[in-house]
Amino acid sequence: MIRNLTEQDKEHLQEALVKSGQKVTPQREAVFTVLLAERDHPTVDEVFHRAREVMPGLSLATVYNCLETFVGCGLVRQVNHERESTRYCPNLAPHAHFRDKATGRVHDIELPPEVLKSLRSILPPGFDSEVIEISFHGRAQAGEQHSN
Amino acid sequence: MIRNLTEQDKEHLQEALVKSGQKVTPQREAVFTVLLAERDHPTVDEVFHRAREVMPGLSLATVYNCLETFVGCGLVRQVNHERESTRYCPNLAPHAHFRDKATGRVHDIELPPEVLKSLRSILPPGFDSEVIEISFHGRAQAGEQHSN
DNA sequence: CTTGCAGATTAGACTCATTCTAACTGTGTT
DNA sequence: AACACAGTTAGAATGAGTCTAATCTGCAAG
Ligand SMILES: [Mn+2]
Ligand SMILES: [Mn+2]
Ligand SMILES: [Zn+2]
Ligand SMILES: [Zn+2]
């Protein structure tokens, strides 16, 4: 269930960390592995429990630290929905999030470049946006499986 | 600075409250007045302090209650940005939010119907969204005054 | 080798926005 | 008057997230 990182993934991790002057550690590998294994936008706590199965001594503080580090070096995105616990997403392609009212699950929604562009175009001159967050909230029919 | 509600606004408030089986109270009027007076997306605490100037006995709990009530009956929108305190917005037209990195201020960004439509169109069949939240984060040049 | 250092990890304390609880108030009804 | 009921209130509780201070872990210098 928590299969190991591919060589590709390891390189991706290492490059991003080293590029921002930080080290690859067993804890960071474990946390990153968890994020890639199941792309269901886990909360910190969920990451913590999953990672512990493979590294029992891991602390919650370290999970917070690792995730912050990953966000900082662009390996992972933070996903916020209203006041709920922060979730984490390793999908680096531009996408929106859909939270299912019924299940609480969060799905990735592909964001085509032209839609992104039309969104940017609504900003009046003088407004320069680095981050755009788009989140939907509603119902997804069962059967509409994870476009996770 | 906290000028009174117009007859229009009073009717709007009353209608929304009564329609959902709730009462118009002095506290609710005060909180609503604060929201309409300065449309700068205040936090609960900011609403609290502003409303107190006009109603010194008002409690923080009541401000939370009023705002929740208003959101519930569609008088006001909640605005979330990452993990910051929740803000409140009485602008009922469809719009996005832009948070200025430098000042922390939140600006309303008009959302034209065709952009809203193109956004809805990215949802795969089976996904039915009731709420769409769009937030930008970046820098607004001074001089780009409140498109509040 | 030792030692020193810097970054990383850890447990636990702490913060603070928000929620909850239980007492109280005000208004309208029997 | 006694009651019902929504709303208000102060303060306690919650809990995600942050901070602190004590280790740990490589690695590099002496
Ligand atoms: Mn969100
Ligand atoms: Mn937001
Ligand atoms: Zn995602
Ligand atoms: Zn707004």
Side-chain angles (χ1 to χ4, degrees), chain A residues 33-126:
Chain A
T33 305
V34 164
L35 289 174
L36 292 190
E38 211 176 328
R39 301 167 153 255
D40 60 349
H41 305 86
T43 61
V44 174
D45 222 64
E46 286 164 346
V47 173
F48 176 54
H49 290 299
R50 291 178 198 174
R52 271 208 153 213
E53 279 171 32
V54 103
M55 181 180 280
L58 182 68
S59 79
L60 179 59
T62 298
V63 175
Y64 272 102
N65 291 340
C66 291
L67 291 169
E68 189 189 348
T69 299
F70 294 164
V71 170
C73 61
L75 279 169
V76 163
R77 277 174 54 180
Q78 251 187 346
V79 179
N80 301 296
H81 272 104
E82 320 210 321
R83 304 258 94 219
E84 298 183 358
S85 317
T86 301
R87 295 173 177 277
Y88 291 86
C89 171
N91 178 355
L92 295 180
H95 66 282
H97 289 109
F98 183 101
R99 192 172 83 255
D100 186 330
K101 220 179 187 173
T103 65
R105 259 196 276 279
V106 175
H107 303 269
D108 281 353
I109 305 290
E110 218 190 310
L111 189 57
E114 77 265 17
V115 173
L116 190 53
K117 223 176 87 185
S118 89
L119 258 179
R120 289 192 183 287
S121 79
I122 73 178
L123 287 176

XYZ file of all heavy atoms in Angstrom, chain A residues 33-126:
743
model
N 6.871 9.709 0.449
C 6.339 8.439 -0.030
C 4.843 8.327 0.259
O 4.049 7.942 -0.605
C 7.072 7.264 0.638
O 8.470 7.409 0.419
C 6.588 5.940 0.099
N 4.476 8.691 1.460
C 3.059 8.648 1.823
C 2.241 9.537 0.902
O 1.165 9.152 0.425
C 2.865 9.088 3.287
C 1.415 9.430 3.561
C 3.340 7.996 4.223
N 2.759 10.730 0.622
C 1.995 11.650 -0.226
C 1.796 11.106 -1.628
O 0.729 11.261 -2.225
C 2.699 13.010 -0.295
C 2.646 13.829 0.986
C 3.485 15.080 0.845
C 1.204 14.186 1.325
N 2.826 10.450 -2.139
C 2.704 9.931 -3.503
C 1.885 8.650 -3.566
O 1.284 8.343 -4.593
C 4.093 9.688 -4.102
C 4.927 10.931 -4.370
C 6.161 10.583 -5.168
C 4.107 11.986 -5.106
N 1.865 7.912 -2.462
C 1.229 6.599 -2.491
C -0.277 6.694 -2.727
O -0.837 5.978 -3.552
C 1.499 5.852 -1.196
N -0.917 7.587 -1.964
C -2.362 7.687 -2.107
C -2.684 9.162 -2.254
O -2.567 9.918 -1.313
C -3.036 7.106 -0.866
C -4.366 6.478 -1.145
C -4.914 5.828 0.128
O -4.102 5.358 0.948
O -6.128 5.819 0.301
N -3.087 9.553 -3.436
C -3.240 10.971 -3.724
C -4.632 11.447 -3.379
O -5.362 11.949 -4.209
C -2.909 11.214 -5.198
C -1.492 10.782 -5.509
C -1.243 10.721 -6.988
N 0.185 10.938 -7.248
C 0.696 12.064 -7.726
N -0.078 13.082 -8.020
N 1.997 12.172 -7.910
N -4.931 11.297 -2.099
C -6.281 11.626 -1.652
C -6.314 12.870 -0.774
O -7.223 13.039 0.018
C -6.878 10.432 -0.912
C -6.058 10.039 0.306
O -4.927 10.547 0.455
O -6.545 9.244 1.127
N -5.289 13.719 -0.896
C -5.279 14.962 -0.123
C -5.397 14.723 1.362
O -6.334 15.206 2.006
C -6.376 15.908 -0.614
C -6.312 16.196 -2.072
N -6.905 15.389 -3.009
C -5.700 17.168 -2.759
C -6.677 15.871 -4.214
N -5.938 16.947 -4.092
N -4.460 13.997 1.929
C -4.536 13.694 3.359
C -4.261 14.921 4.222
O -3.578 15.848 3.808
C -3.433 12.651 3.553
C -2.450 12.927 2.475
C -3.265 13.406 1.302
N -4.817 14.905 5.429
C -4.494 15.909 6.428
C -3.149 15.554 7.058
O -2.629 14.456 6.857
C -5.544 15.921 7.553
O -5.536 14.643 8.180
C -6.927 16.205 7.005
N -2.611 16.472 7.841
C -1.349 16.218 8.537
C -1.470 14.945 9.364
O -0.594 14.086 9.367
C -0.975 17.398 9.447
C 0.251 17.051 10.277
C -0.727 18.642 8.623
N -2.577 14.834 10.058
C -2.774 13.682 10.909
C -2.820 12.383 10.122
O -2.287 11.361 10.549
C -4.087 13.871 11.672
C -3.935 13.447 13.093
O -3.141 14.087 13.799
O -4.595 12.451 13.473
N -3.459 12.420 8.980
C -3.513 11.219 8.153
C -2.113 10.855 7.646
O -1.710 9.687 7.683
C -4.481 11.422 6.993
C -5.933 11.371 7.452
C -6.930 11.925 6.449
O -6.509 12.611 5.480
O -8.135 11.693 6.640
N -1.376 11.858 7.206
C 0.002 11.603 6.783
C 0.785 10.985 7.936
O 1.502 9.997 7.768
C 0.687 12.899 6.319
C 2.168 12.655 6.057
C 0.001 13.455 5.084
N 0.619 11.567 9.102
C 1.319 11.098 10.295
C 1.052 9.615 10.544
O 1.981 8.818 10.663
C 0.871 11.937 11.492
C 1.439 11.512 12.808
C 2.807 11.377 12.981
C 0.599 11.263 13.883
C 3.337 10.993 14.209
C 1.112 10.883 15.104
C 2.475 10.743 15.275
N -0.228 9.237 10.564
C -0.545 7.842 10.868
C -0.058 6.885 9.788
O 0.443 5.809 10.078
C -2.043 7.683 11.118
C -2.470 8.314 12.409
N -1.972 7.907 13.632
C -3.287 9.354 12.676
C -2.491 8.657 14.601
N -3.297 9.547 14.043
N -0.175 7.325 8.524
C 0.301 6.449 7.449
C 1.806 6.289 7.502
O 2.334 5.189 7.302
C -0.101 7.024 6.089
C -1.598 6.966 5.854
C -1.961 7.593 4.523
N -3.386 7.929 4.488
C -3.982 8.582 3.518
N -3.275 8.989 2.461
N -5.273 8.847 3.576
N 2.492 7.366 7.751
C 3.954 7.304 7.734
C 4.483 6.489 8.908
O 5.499 5.810 8.824
C 4.536 8.710 7.764
N 3.751 6.524 10.001
C 4.176 5.789 11.182
C 4.205 4.294 10.954
O 4.963 3.572 11.601
C 3.203 6.057 12.315
C 3.609 7.255 13.088
C 3.121 7.140 14.506
N 3.992 7.908 15.356
C 4.292 7.595 16.597
N 3.766 6.516 17.145
N 5.098 8.347 17.289
N 3.372 3.832 10.058
C 3.351 2.391 9.815
C 4.694 1.914 9.299
O 5.069 0.765 9.466
C 2.245 2.034 8.817
C 0.896 1.965 9.524
C -0.241 1.834 8.538
O -0.041 1.229 7.476
O -1.341 2.353 8.866
N 5.393 2.813 8.671
C 6.650 2.449 8.044
C 7.842 2.995 8.828
O 8.969 2.550 8.660
C 6.615 2.960 6.582
C 7.441 4.206 6.415
C 7.007 1.859 5.612
N 7.585 3.930 9.705
C 8.643 4.531 10.521
C 8.039 4.886 11.872
O 7.631 6.032 12.111
C 9.178 5.785 9.818
C 10.300 6.459 10.584
S 10.943 7.940 9.772
C 12.033 7.231 8.554
N 7.981 3.908 12.756
C 7.198 4.044 13.988
C 7.650 5.180 14.899
O 6.845 5.710 15.662
C 7.394 2.683 14.675
C 7.777 1.754 13.581
C 8.565 2.568 12.598
N 8.903 5.582 14.853
C 9.358 6.625 15.758
C 9.026 8.037 15.307
O 9.183 8.992 16.064
N 8.547 8.170 14.093
C 8.288 9.497 13.516
C 7.349 10.335 14.380
O 6.339 9.844 14.864
C 7.664 9.302 12.129
C 7.369 10.555 11.333
C 8.651 11.235 10.910
C 6.529 10.199 10.118
N 7.687 11.599 14.530
C 6.847 12.460 15.376
C 5.944 13.355 14.542
O 6.248 13.681 13.387
C 7.719 13.333 16.267
O 8.218 14.432 15.539
N 4.869 13.778 15.174
C 3.931 14.671 14.497
C 4.612 15.980 14.124
O 4.414 16.512 13.023
C 2.735 14.931 15.413
C 1.664 15.863 14.865
C 1.078 15.344 13.569
C 0.552 16.058 15.893
N 5.445 16.490 15.024
C 6.155 17.749 14.737
C 6.948 17.613 13.446
O 6.979 18.533 12.620
C 7.072 18.104 15.896
N 7.583 16.486 13.289
C 8.376 16.283 12.075
C 7.500 16.243 10.832
O 7.891 16.758 9.783
C 9.198 14.989 12.189
O 10.094 15.133 13.287
C 9.987 14.730 10.931
N 6.326 15.662 10.952
C 5.432 15.655 9.796
C 5.061 17.087 9.429
O 5.111 17.469 8.256
C 4.183 14.800 10.066
C 3.212 14.901 8.908
C 4.578 13.357 10.309
N 4.733 17.890 10.422
C 4.478 19.314 10.152
C 5.696 19.935 9.479
O 5.579 20.658 8.483
C 4.154 20.072 11.443
C 2.691 20.060 11.813
C 2.221 19.211 12.806
C 1.789 20.897 11.179
C 0.873 19.197 13.158
C 0.443 20.891 11.521
C -0.007 20.043 12.517
O -1.335 20.033 12.849
N 6.874 19.667 10.026
C 8.092 20.251 9.454
C 8.321 19.804 8.017
O 8.627 20.625 7.144
C 9.308 19.866 10.305
C 9.279 20.538 11.666
O 8.600 21.544 11.859
N 10.000 19.977 12.616
N 8.198 18.529 7.781
C 8.430 18.011 6.426
C 7.463 18.636 5.434
O 7.863 19.085 4.355
C 8.252 16.495 6.394
S 9.525 15.576 7.269
N 6.206 18.679 5.800
C 5.217 19.208 4.870
C 5.472 20.683 4.584
O 5.395 21.128 3.440
C 3.803 18.985 5.418
C 3.382 17.511 5.447
C 2.092 17.300 6.226
C 3.241 16.954 4.030
N 5.845 21.424 5.604
C 6.165 22.836 5.395
C 7.362 22.965 4.454
O 7.367 23.792 3.538
C 6.461 23.501 6.738
C 6.593 25.007 6.647
C 7.108 25.620 7.945
O 7.152 24.908 8.973
O 7.478 26.812 7.921
N 8.358 22.124 4.691
C 9.528 22.126 3.815
C 9.127 21.842 2.369
O 9.556 22.540 1.447
C 10.531 21.054 4.288
O 10.950 21.380 5.618
C 11.734 20.994 3.372
N 8.304 20.835 2.194
C 7.882 20.464 0.830
C 7.128 21.602 0.162
O 7.339 21.886 -1.019
C 7.012 19.205 0.854
C 7.736 17.969 1.291
C 7.028 16.835 1.672
C 9.133 17.926 1.336
C 7.692 15.686 2.076
C 9.797 16.781 1.749
C 9.069 15.661 2.128
N 6.244 22.226 0.888
C 5.514 23.357 0.317
C 6.512 24.444 -0.065
O 6.448 25.008 -1.161
C 4.463 23.905 1.304
C 3.882 25.220 0.807
C 3.359 22.883 1.530
N 7.448 24.690 0.843
C 8.443 25.728 0.601
C 9.267 25.502 -0.649
O 9.603 26.455 -1.364
N 9.580 24.238 -0.942
C 10.389 24.018 -2.144
C 9.548 23.521 -3.312
O 10.067 22.978 -4.284
C 11.595 23.140 -1.848
S 11.248 21.519 -1.252
N 8.244 23.730 -3.226
C 7.378 23.509 -4.378
C 7.109 22.056 -4.725
O 6.690 21.749 -5.843
N 7.327 21.159 -3.768
C 7.076 19.745 -4.051
C 5.607 19.394 -3.873
O 5.141 18.370 -4.378
C 7.888 18.862 -3.105
C 9.349 18.643 -3.460
C 10.074 17.983 -2.290
C 9.444 17.751 -4.692
N 4.924 20.216 -3.149
C 3.591 19.860 -2.690
C 2.778 21.139 -2.534
O 3.341 22.195 -2.262
C 3.727 19.132 -1.326
C 2.418 19.100 -0.595
C 4.258 17.728 -1.503
N 1.473 21.032 -2.714
C 0.598 22.182 -2.494
C -0.244 21.990 -1.247
O -0.683 20.887 -0.947
C -0.361 22.355 -3.688
C 0.230 23.090 -4.845
C -0.722 23.102 -6.027
N -2.059 23.618 -5.698
C -3.045 23.710 -6.579
N -2.876 23.307 -7.827
N -4.214 24.190 -6.214
N -0.490 23.099 -0.580
C -1.425 23.081 0.523
C -2.824 23.239 -0.033
O -3.030 24.004 -0.967
C -1.153 24.281 1.426
C -0.545 23.913 2.735
C -0.451 25.103 3.654
O -0.612 26.243 3.228
N -0.198 24.834 4.904
N -3.768 22.542 0.567
C -5.156 22.666 0.123
C -6.016 23.031 1.319
O -6.085 22.276 2.293
C -5.654 21.342 -0.485
C -7.098 21.481 -0.928
C -4.763 20.910 -1.639
N -6.650 24.187 1.254
C -7.521 24.622 2.349
C -8.967 24.627 1.889
O -9.273 25.086 0.790
C -7.152 26.033 2.782
C -5.712 26.121 3.230
O -5.326 25.509 4.219
N -4.912 26.865 2.480
N -9.817 24.166 2.756
C -11.251 24.269 2.503
C -11.912 24.815 3.738
O -11.963 24.146 4.767
C -11.838 22.903 2.160
C -11.775 22.587 0.715
N -10.864 21.724 0.186
C -12.497 23.052 -0.332
C -11.038 21.656 -1.131
N -12.010 22.458 -1.464
N -12.401 26.037 3.606
C -13.040 26.698 4.726
C -12.170 26.553 5.956
O -10.978 26.833 5.885
C -14.448 26.131 4.910
C -15.080 25.921 3.520
C -16.564 26.056 3.481
O -17.225 25.612 4.427
O -17.073 26.609 2.479
N -12.734 26.115 7.053
C -11.927 26.083 8.280
C -11.408 24.690 8.604
O -10.970 24.436 9.720
C -12.737 26.600 9.467
C -13.316 27.956 9.309
C -12.511 29.000 10.063
N -11.525 29.661 9.267
C -10.297 29.993 9.698
N -9.893 29.670 10.895
N -9.473 30.620 8.894
N -11.488 23.770 7.646
C -11.051 22.412 7.955
C -9.533 22.296 8.043
O -8.814 23.207 7.654
C -11.582 21.461 6.872
C -13.107 21.450 6.847
C -13.636 20.459 5.833
O -12.834 19.809 5.136
O -14.867 20.336 5.747
N -9.068 21.165 8.536
C -7.630 20.946 8.620
C -7.005 21.031 7.240
O -7.594 20.593 6.254
C -7.317 19.558 9.185
O -8.135 19.269 10.268
N -5.815 21.537 7.200
C -5.085 21.662 5.953
C -4.787 20.291 5.361
O -4.449 19.354 6.068
C -3.761 22.388 6.218
O -4.055 23.664 6.768
C -2.972 22.565 4.940
N -4.935 20.197 4.048
C -4.617 18.962 3.339
C -3.447 19.204 2.400
O -3.113 20.345 2.105
C -5.850 18.476 2.563
C -6.970 18.089 3.489
C -8.262 17.754 2.771
N -9.263 17.334 3.731
C -9.355 16.097 4.202
N -8.541 15.150 3.745
N -10.257 15.785 5.104
N -2.855 18.116 1.913
C -1.673 18.252 1.076
C -1.803 17.456 -0.204
O -2.384 16.369 -0.226
C -0.425 17.854 1.871
C -0.140 18.865 2.946
C -0.756 18.759 4.192
C 0.659 19.963 2.699
C -0.545 19.732 5.170
C 0.884 20.933 3.667
C 0.271 20.806 4.894
O 0.475 21.772 5.845
N -1.261 18.020 -1.273
C -1.478 17.502 -2.622
C -0.172 17.537 -3.396
O 0.431 18.599 -3.545
C -2.519 18.387 -3.303
S -2.719 18.051 -5.046
N 0.272 16.402 -3.904
C 1.525 16.354 -4.651
C 1.327 16.556 -6.151
O 2.280 16.421 -6.916
C 2.021 14.939 -4.370
C 0.770 14.141 -4.280
C -0.311 15.061 -3.754
N 0.117 16.875 -6.568
C -0.157 17.107 -7.986
C 0.281 18.521 -8.349
O -0.306 19.499 -7.892
C -1.654 16.915 -8.241
C -2.033 17.190 -9.684
O -1.206 17.614 -10.500
N -3.295 16.947 -10.002
N 1.316 18.607 -9.177
C 1.876 19.926 -9.468
C 1.255 20.592 -10.686
O 1.482 21.770 -10.940
C 3.391 19.829 -9.630
C 4.126 19.408 -8.348
C 5.611 19.329 -8.564
C 3.793 20.349 -7.198
N 0.464 19.859 -11.436
C -0.229 20.475 -12.568
C -1.269 21.453 -12.046
O -1.779 21.283 -10.948
C -0.906 19.392 -13.404
N -1.560 22.506 -12.842
C -2.588 23.458 -12.393
C -3.923 22.741 -12.276
O -4.361 22.112 -13.231
C -2.630 24.495 -13.528
C -1.411 24.263 -14.351
C -1.021 22.839 -14.166
N -4.507 22.815 -11.126
C -5.815 22.172 -10.978
C -6.591 22.825 -9.848
O -6.034 23.503 -8.997
C -5.663 20.669 -10.726
C -5.010 20.305 -9.432
N -3.648 20.365 -9.235
C -5.532 19.888 -8.258
C -3.357 19.973 -8.010
N -4.478 19.692 -7.384
N -7.913 22.610 -9.884
C -8.795 23.103 -8.842
C -9.157 21.935 -7.927
O -8.816 20.790 -8.209
C -10.047 23.698 -9.465
N -9.832 22.239 -6.844
C -10.253 21.180 -5.930
C -11.755 21.178 -5.745
O -12.381 22.237 -5.680
C -9.549 21.333 -4.579
C -8.101 20.992 -4.659
N -7.111 21.936 -4.568
C -7.484 19.799 -4.870
C -5.938 21.339 -4.710
N -6.126 20.044 -4.908
N -12.287 19.974 -5.665
C -13.713 19.793 -5.452
C -13.895 19.012 -4.162
O -13.412 17.881 -4.054
C -14.325 19.020 -6.618
C -15.808 18.837 -6.527
C -16.659 19.648 -7.263
C -16.362 17.862 -5.700
C -18.046 19.484 -7.190
C -17.744 17.696 -5.614
C -18.589 18.512 -6.365
N -14.568 19.609 -3.199
C -14.825 18.858 -1.972
C -16.242 18.330 -1.979
O -17.210 19.070 -2.137
C -14.621 19.716 -0.728
C -14.619 18.827 0.516
C -14.247 19.545 1.788
N -15.381 20.233 2.364
C -15.581 21.528 2.328
N -14.724 22.306 1.755
N -16.655 22.061 2.876
N -16.344 17.033 -1.806
C -17.641 16.376 -1.803
C -18.289 16.565 -0.430
O -17.773 16.103 0.586
C -17.440 14.889 -2.110
C -18.754 14.157 -2.280
O -19.755 14.568 -1.656
O -18.780 13.171 -3.028
N -19.443 17.241 -0.465
C -20.191 17.536 0.750
C -20.512 16.266 1.536
O -20.492 16.255 2.765
C -21.520 18.154 0.309
C -22.012 19.288 1.145
C -23.321 19.762 0.521
C -23.806 21.024 1.211
N -24.970 21.604 0.533
N -20.834 15.214 0.801
C -21.304 14.000 1.448
C -20.160 13.227 2.104
O -20.257 12.818 3.254
C -22.020 13.107 0.433
N -19.084 13.034 1.373
C -18.016 12.176 1.882
C -16.858 12.965 2.492
O -16.030 12.398 3.199
C -17.421 11.334 0.742
O -16.793 12.234 -0.185
C -18.502 10.553 0.025
N -16.775 14.242 2.181
C -15.636 15.028 2.634
C -14.416 14.851 1.761
O -13.400 15.518 1.966
N -14.477 13.942 0.802
C -13.303 13.693 -0.036
C -13.021 14.862 -0.958
O -13.930 15.568 -1.397
C -13.516 12.435 -0.872
C -12.792 11.236 -0.289
C -12.677 10.116 -1.313
N -13.896 9.305 -1.348
C -14.164 8.350 -0.476
N -13.323 8.095 0.513
N -15.264 7.654 -0.576
N -11.750 15.031 -1.256
C -11.326 16.122 -2.130
C -10.816 15.546 -3.447
O -9.987 14.633 -3.443
C -10.215 16.953 -1.449
C -9.677 18.002 -2.398
C -10.742 17.592 -0.175
N -11.347 16.054 -4.548
C -10.944 15.579 -5.868
C -10.204 16.662 -6.624
O -10.540 17.841 -6.514
C -12.190 15.177 -6.680
C -13.038 14.149 -6.013
N -12.861 12.805 -6.209
C -14.051 14.269 -5.126
C -13.754 12.136 -5.480
N -14.484 13.007 -4.812
N -9.232 16.244 -7.409
C -8.563 17.180 -8.304
C -9.413 17.401 -9.544
O -9.981 16.456 -10.092
C -7.204 16.607 -8.750
C -6.143 16.788 -7.682
O -6.414 17.468 -6.678
O -5.039 16.246 -7.857
N -9.493 18.652 -9.967
C -10.207 18.994 -11.197
C -9.222 19.675 -12.134
O -8.653 20.711 -11.790
C -11.370 19.973 -10.911
C -12.315 19.421 -9.850
C -12.093 20.325 -12.193
C -13.138 18.252 -10.300
N -9.027 19.053 -13.268
C -8.069 19.599 -14.222
C -8.451 21.022 -14.606
O -9.631 21.337 -14.767
C -8.065 18.720 -15.476
C -6.690 18.547 -16.077
C -6.808 17.885 -17.439
O -7.500 16.844 -17.551
O -6.218 18.435 -18.386
N -7.447 21.864 -14.761
C -7.698 23.277 -15.064
C -7.042 23.623 -16.393
O -5.841 23.866 -16.452
C -7.101 24.121 -13.929
C -7.415 25.604 -13.907
C -8.905 25.851 -13.870
C -6.749 26.235 -12.681
N -7.812 23.665 -17.471
C -7.232 23.912 -18.794
C -6.637 25.313 -18.848
O -7.171 26.238 -18.231
C -8.434 23.817 -19.746
C -9.536 23.189 -18.961
C -9.279 23.494 -17.536
N -5.554 25.454 -19.590
C -4.846 26.741 -19.673
C -5.761 27.899 -20.045
O -5.602 28.998 -19.525
C -3.807 26.509 -20.775
C -3.680 25.051 -20.919
C -4.934 24.426 -20.432
N -6.724 27.650 -20.949
C -7.545 28.791 -21.394
C -8.472 29.266 -20.266
O -8.781 30.458 -20.188
C -8.321 28.458 -22.675
C -9.548 27.597 -22.507
C -9.250 26.116 -22.737
O -8.051 25.726 -22.715
O -10.211 25.341 -22.945
N -8.881 28.340 -19.404
C -9.720 28.750 -18.272
C -8.866 29.543 -17.275
O -9.289 30.583 -16.754
C -10.361 27.533 -17.587
C -11.093 27.959 -16.322
C -11.314 26.828 -18.543
N -7.672 29.022 -17.051
C -6.747 29.738 -16.177
C -6.512 31.152 -16.694
O -6.504 32.127 -15.938
C -5.425 28.971 -16.121
C -4.412 29.420 -15.079
C -5.035 29.471 -13.699
C -3.195 28.509 -15.087
N -6.353 31.241 -17.998
C -6.090 32.553 -18.589
C -7.287 33.478 -18.412
O -7.138 34.654 -18.065
C -5.753 32.399 -20.079
C -4.591 33.267 -20.527
C -4.209 33.040 -21.983
C -4.993 33.876 -22.945
N -4.698 33.570 -24.373
N -8.478 32.935 -18.618
C -9.660 33.786 -18.492
C -9.817 34.248 -17.043
O -10.301 35.347 -16.780
C -10.908 33.057 -18.989
O -11.535 32.333 -17.961
N -9.361 33.407 -16.136
C -9.403 33.801 -14.729
C -8.436 34.944 -14.444
O -8.775 35.927 -13.785
C -9.035 32.624 -13.844
C -10.190 31.925 -13.182
C -9.682 30.774 -12.353
C -10.973 32.907 -12.322
N -7.212 34.770 -14.925
C -6.232 35.840 -14.718
C -6.726 37.153 -15.305
O -6.416 38.233 -14.811
C -4.906 35.490 -15.399
C -4.153 34.388 -14.718
C -2.714 34.306 -15.264
N -2.010 33.190 -14.644
C -1.598 33.211 -13.382
N -1.775 34.290 -12.648
N -0.987 32.150 -12.861
N -7.486 37.034 -16.378
C -7.902 38.251 -17.087
C -8.919 39.072 -16.306
O -9.183 40.216 -16.647
C -8.505 37.873 -18.441
O -9.841 37.428 -18.267
N -9.499 38.514 -15.263
C -10.472 39.318 -14.518
C -9.789 40.271 -13.547
O -10.434 41.155 -12.985
C -11.515 38.467 -13.759
C -10.904 37.781 -12.537
C -12.171 37.466 -14.681
C -11.921 36.971 -11.739
N -8.496 40.113 -13.338
C -7.777 41.016 -12.427
C -7.594 42.389 -13.066
O -7.073 42.490 -14.172
C -6.411 40.432 -12.079
C -6.416 39.248 -11.126
C -5.004 38.708 -10.951
C -7.018 39.632 -9.794
N -7.999 43.434 -12.395
C -7.789 44.779 -12.923
C -6.285 45.047 -13.016
O -5.497 44.410 -12.306
C -8.410 45.690 -11.851
C -9.263 44.809 -11.015
C -8.675 43.450 -11.099
N -5.878 46.002 -13.855
C -4.452 46.324 -13.961
C -3.920 46.741 -12.598
O -4.624 47.371 -11.814
C -4.426 47.493 -14.951
C -5.826 47.979 -15.045
C -6.717 46.840 -14.703
N -2.678 46.344 -12.317
C -2.096 46.679 -11.028
C -2.159 45.525 -10.044
O -1.430 45.484 -9.065
